[in-house]
Amino acid sequence: MLEYTPVQLQDATLGVDHSMNEQDDDESLDSQRDSSSFWLAMKMASSMAEVRGVLHRFDVPEEEFANRFPSLAKLVQGLPDETAPSA
């Protein structure tokens, strides 16, 4: 019969300084949580107007978005622009 030995998980962030400093404000997507929220919001966007809103909320310039997140930029590239008149 096989014996079960439980494994104790350790905190991967043990010893990491979690305090925020002023530089954190400049790089709003550096934290894992912000980055995940950004990705999710972009994947859920259904129009370019929503994409621009997400970029504004996370303070990411459009040029930086295309350079820093090329796969997301490609994903949202074909979304309709709600501000354009419908044909």
Side-chain angles (χ1 to χ4, degrees):
M1 181 157 143
L2 295 174
E3 289 187 30
Y4 172 74
T5 306
V7 177
Q8 183 178 6
L9 298 177
Q10 296 181 358
D11 184 3
T13 61
L14 191 61
V16 176
D17 180 13
H18 295 287
S19 63
M20 293 186 66
N21 59 35
E22 291 182 19
Q23 291 179 355
D24 291 340
D25 293 337
D26 295 336
E27 299 294 333
S28 62
L29 294 177
D30 282 344
S31 79
Q32 177 93 18
R33 182 181 305 160
D34 286 345
S35 182
S36 295
S37 296
F38 179 77
W39 274 82
L40 180 61
M42 281 299 187
K43 287 190 170 219
M44 292 180 64
S46 59
S47 71
M48 289 305 290
E50 287 181 31
V51 168
R52 285 189 289 277
V54 172
L55 292 175
H56 183 277
R57 186 169 20 132
F58 285 92
D59 195 27
V60 176
E62 288 187 38
E63 304 81 33
E64 181 182 335
F65 171 62
N67 292 328
R68 193 169 174 189
F69 304 98
S71 61
L72 273 179
K74 192 172 188 175
L75 178 73
V76 301
Q77 181 177 354
L79 290 176
D81 189 357
E82 286 184 351
T83 61
S86 59

